[in-house]
Amino acid sequence: MVVVLGLLLLGSLVCGVGLGAAGVGWEDVFRFLGAGFTGGVIGAGDVAAYTIVWEIRLSRVVLAAVVGAGLATVGVAVQAMVRNALADPFVLGISSGAAVGANAVILLGAFAGLGVWALSVSAFGSALAAMAIVYAVARSAHGLTPLRLILTGTAMAYGFEALTTVMVFGAARGEAARSAMMWLLGSLGGATWARVPIVAVTVAAGWAWLRLRAEALNALAMGDETSAALGVPAARLRRELFLVTAAVTGTVVAVSGAIGFVGLMVPHVVRMLVGADHRRVLAVAPLAGAVLLVWADVLSRLLFAPVELPVGVITAVVGVPAFLLLMRRGGYAFGGR
């Protein structure tokens, strides 16, 4: 399955580069990709088309794959951490906190001195602040319990969303409010090559750590008592998971906005295919999330071209019926087949 999904992801990346509102033929697409990877020479008349293929489309589909992999990976971790089938990367309120910082830049012009990095830096900083608040409130003498995490994260998310709504309604410029709503629903329109390495390294490091802790995640998913009996300290592991998932979620949201449903749906679908063992789930889920988001982004660009839809709308429109259909099939329960 990993091999099949890997090949499917490669094909999806190529299709994502070749498909778009600007008419660039497939022969030119492959020629420009070859020139970009090998350092080849292109004619002066091809500069505009080459820029579309290499600088705009390829960076965008690569970022979509990385973000999709990150959301799916964090979704697996969060669902194990809080032992809740409805949990996703945004249940901790971190994405809503990031939205406050992002909208402060879009609507109020905050951190204008940082230039093109203002949005990402502000969103990531506010995500870290939200993480600190949730951690401080949810922590008790018994550590981070699943129920306190869910309740605190949900309550803080409502608070951050209310603050964001006030900022949007108070915006003096309609275009700024539209940009803010676009970010809130998720968009990869601001993708550049400069943003890819930071996100890719963070997602890869988070995935590697979770993969090493796969056996501990199996124990944690069975409950704190079972985890303790197997020699896995649930409180400490949950604290570590919180920090890792918060860092990955904050980094991803800072460059793509709040793209929903990937972290909720993909882990469930993968468990139906490979079982509940986190060693297998964490091997397959990132690839599945990457493929899903690449194609969601392609659809967001093509359906109403040249107008672009928020990619979060596509993930919801496609994901909700698919998820409900899978649930209707029966024979599936969270944590098992």
Side-chain angles (χ1 to χ4, degrees):
M1 187 170 293
V2 169
V3 172
V4 171
L5 283 173
L7 293 174
L8 182 59
L9 176 59
L10 180 61
S12 300
L13 292 174
V14 174
C15 290
V17 174
L19 298 173
V24 181
W26 283 100
E27 181 179 349
D28 289 334
V29 168
F30 286 111
R31 181 162 60 89
F32 295 150
L33 289 176
F37 283 113
T38 62
V41 179
I42 59 171
D46 293 329
V47 171
Y50 174 81
T51 301
I52 292 174
V53 170
W54 185 263
E55 297 293 338
I56 299 176
R57 290 186 185 174
L58 184 58
S59 64
R60 179 165 180 155
V61 297
V62 170
L63 186 63
V66 173
V67 169
L71 291 174
T73 300
V74 175
V76 173
V78 172
Q79 288 174 8
M81 177 173 60
V82 300
R83 300 203 310 274
N84 191 310
L86 296 177
D88 69 0
F90 305 134
V91 74
L92 302 179
I94 298 169
S95 64
S96 301
V100 174
N103 280 280
V105 174
I106 297 171
L107 302 174
L108 306 178
F111 303 104
L114 296 176
V116 295
W117 292 99
L119 183 62
S120 297
V121 171
S122 181
F124 183 70
S126 58
L128 292 182
M131 176 193 75
I133 294 172
V134 172
Y135 179 83
V137 176
R139 190 171 182 273
S140 67
H142 303 288
L144 291 175
T145 62
L147 181 59
R148 289 181 66 91
L149 268 176
I150 293 174
L151 292 177
T152 304
T154 302
M156 294 305 302
Y158 277 115
F160 292 136
E161 288 169 7
L163 180 58
T164 299
T165 302
V166 171
M167 295 169 64
V168 171
F169 274 90
R173 295 177 292 118
E175 186 61 30
R178 183 181 181 278
S179 299
M181 292 305 298
M182 190 77 169
W183 192 92
L184 288 172
L185 294 172
S187 174
L188 294 163
T192 63
W193 282 117
R195 294 185 175 185
V196 173
I198 297 175
V199 186
V201 169
T202 304
V203 170
W207 174 86
W209 186 88
L210 291 169
R211 189 69 176 77
L212 291 173
R213 304 291 283 165
E215 291 286 0
L217 289 176
N218 288 339
L220 187 64
M222 292 186 287
D224 288 11
E225 292 183 359
T226 303
S227 176
L230 295 174
V232 177
R236 188 178 69 184
L237 177 59
R238 193 169 284 116
R239 183 168 58 250
E240 294 172 354
L241 284 171
F242 180 81
L243 295 174
V244 171
T245 56
V248 175
T249 302
T251 305
V252 167
V253 171
V255 299
S256 66
I259 301 174
F261 218 79
V262 177
L264 172 64
M265 180 180 70
V266 171
H268 286 293
V269 175
V270 170
R271 288 191 192 95
M272 295 180 72
L273 296 174
V274 302
D277 189 339
H278 283 86
R279 292 173 299 180
R280 296 185 176 190
V281 174
L282 285 169
V284 176
L287 293 171
V291 171
L292 172 63
L293 199 59
V294 167
W295 280 106
D297 182 59
V298 170
L299 290 176
S300 75
R301 290 185 277 130
L302 294 180
L303 286 180
F304 296 96
V307 178
E308 180 181 320
L309 283 175
V311 70
V313 172
I314 304 298
T315 57
V317 169
V318 174
V320 169
F323 188 70
L324 292 177
L325 179 62
L326 289 171
M327 293 299 99
R328 288 288 297 171
R329 291 179 58 188
Y332 171 77
F334 173 63
R337 286 185 175 272

